[in-house]
Amino acid sequence: MASVFDLTGQSDTPPAAANDQLADGYRPSADEPFMNLRQQAYFRQKLLAWKDAIHREAQGTLSQLQVDSLREADLTDRASSETDWSIELRTRDRQRKLIAKIDAALRRIEDGEYGYCEVTGEPISLGRLEARPIATMTVEAQERHERQEKVSREE
């Protein structure tokens, strides 16, 4: 199924052999080579599932927008509905940006760069990737980056 959000032309399916290995409840471990095919397939699957969930939520929002209308007679009710929809649409916009980050992570997997810090080139911990699969920096590099941003804003 083609997606409005996926314009990269990339295949959304991991290699068959690695995908078959994930059926057993696999979780990446530090006891195996970092970013081996099985780990790559695991994170690809995790990213694709996250992206799919975002698409389903967005479709639900779109369907709800088409069904509901802001025709409440009471001005207070109408203002409340408009505020709710404004919050919902801002959330969808943030998720649209998140999809771009997910697609970038999927490209990094295909390029063999996934899981490595874009600043230092060091492996990003599996725990960090598990919690934030779109991470592009180690915790230490991210902290340095945020400190530098804070100093730049204060000047």
Side-chain angles (χ1 to χ4, degrees), residues 1 17 21 41 63 65-66 78 81 85 101 105 111-112 114 116 118 131 143 151-152:
M1 174 172 105
Q21 295 173 351
S63 297
L65 273 172
Q66 292 170 343
R78 186 178 306 165
S81 291
W85 279 115
K101 291 180 180 182
D111 295 342
Y114 183 80
Y116 295 92
E118 66 183 9
E143 288 172 347
V151 168
S152 296

Side-chain angles (χ1 to χ4, degrees), residues 19-85:
N19 196 32
D20 291 343
Q21 295 173 351
L22 297 179
D24 62 1
Y26 169 78
R27 300 287 280 205
S29 150
D31 298 338
E32 59 188 318
F34 187 71
M35 279 306 124
N36 61 55
L37 288 177
R38 197 170 188 200
Q39 286 183 358
Q40 289 176 20
Y42 172 83
F43 284 109
R44 181 183 297 109
Q45 188 175 31
K46 186 176 185 78
L47 288 161
L48 290 171
W50 191 10
K51 182 177 172 180
D52 186 54
I54 292 170
H55 284 288
R56 283 194 312 274
E57 287 178 31
Q59 188 58 46
T61 298
L62 184 59
S63 297
Q64 198 61 38
L65 273 172
Q66 292 170 343
V67 170
D68 287 351
S69 63
L70 297 175
R71 295 190 192 141
E72 289 90 351
D74 183 67
L75 290 177
T76 305
D77 290 342
R78 186 178 306 165
S80 178
S81 291
E82 287 176 3
T83 299
D84 291 347
W85 279 115

Side-chain angles (χ1 to χ4, degrees), residues 1-12 48 51 55 96 99-100 102-104 106-107:
M1 174 172 105
S3 165
V4 173
F5 294 102
D6 187 12
L7 302 175
T8 63
Q10 289 184 311
S11 168
D12 283 349
L48 290 171
K51 182 177 172 180
H55 284 288
R96 179 185 55 80
I99 285 175
I102 292 170
D103 286 339
L106 290 167
R107 279 190 299 277

